[in-house]
């Protein structure tokens, strides 16, 4: 029986390679809107963050997500990420 390939992605904060289901995806679309992508398939530039409160707080403090997505990210996005854990 063929083994199914598990998609791996890299967290932009910790630089760990993890399974896609262990990460949250934040997307910036063409209009500059930033949102949390629950499907993992939304169009736009995406960044993955580990499902860990400390990592999300580190992202907020270091503004690494803002640099990666090249747009200002409001606090409500970080709050939504924490609520999804």
């Amino acid at each position: 029986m063929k083994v199914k390939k598990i998609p791996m992605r890299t967290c932009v904060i910790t630089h760990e390679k993890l399974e896609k289901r262990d990460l949250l995806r934040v997307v910036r679309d063409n209009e500059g809107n930033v949102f949390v992508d629950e499907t993992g398939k939304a169009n736009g530039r995406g960044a993955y963050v580990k499902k860990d409160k400390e990592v999300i707080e580190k992202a907020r403090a270091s503004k690494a997500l803002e640099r990666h997505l090249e747009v200002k990210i409001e606090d409500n996005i970080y709050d939504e990420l924490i609520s999804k854990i």
Side-chain angles (χ1 to χ4, degrees):
M1 182 173 205
K2 190 173 180 181
V3 178
K4 188 172 181 179
K5 182 180 172 188
I6 300 171
M8 302 291 280
R9 301 291 184 266
T10 303
C11 174
V12 296
I13 308 304
T14 64
H15 303 288
E16 292 177 83
K17 276 214 170 276
L18 299 165
E19 293 181 23
K20 193 173 176 181
R21 67 174 181 219
D22 295 334
L23 299 164
L24 296 167
R25 184 169 186 247
V26 182
V27 178
R28 174 186 49 94
D29 62 11
N30 292 337
E31 288 83 42
N33 301 321
V34 178
F35 57 94
V36 178
D37 179 18
E38 296 187 28
T39 64
K41 297 178 182 180
N43 289 334
R45 182 176 182 89
Y48 290 91
V49 180
K50 187 176 178 181
K51 287 184 180 178
D52 185 358
K53 186 177 180 179
E54 292 176 13
V55 173
I56 295 170
E57 291 300 334
K58 185 176 179 182
R60 186 189 310 230
S62 67
K63 299 187 189 278
L65 268 179
E66 291 185 13
R67 286 192 303 274
H68 188 77
L69 296 177
E70 301 169 350
V71 70
K72 174 83 171 102
I73 298 177
E74 302 296 327
D75 282 337
N76 63 339
I77 298 295
Y78 293 109
D79 296 336
E80 186 178 348
L81 286 170
I82 290 171
S83 69
K84 300 260 185 228
I85 296 176

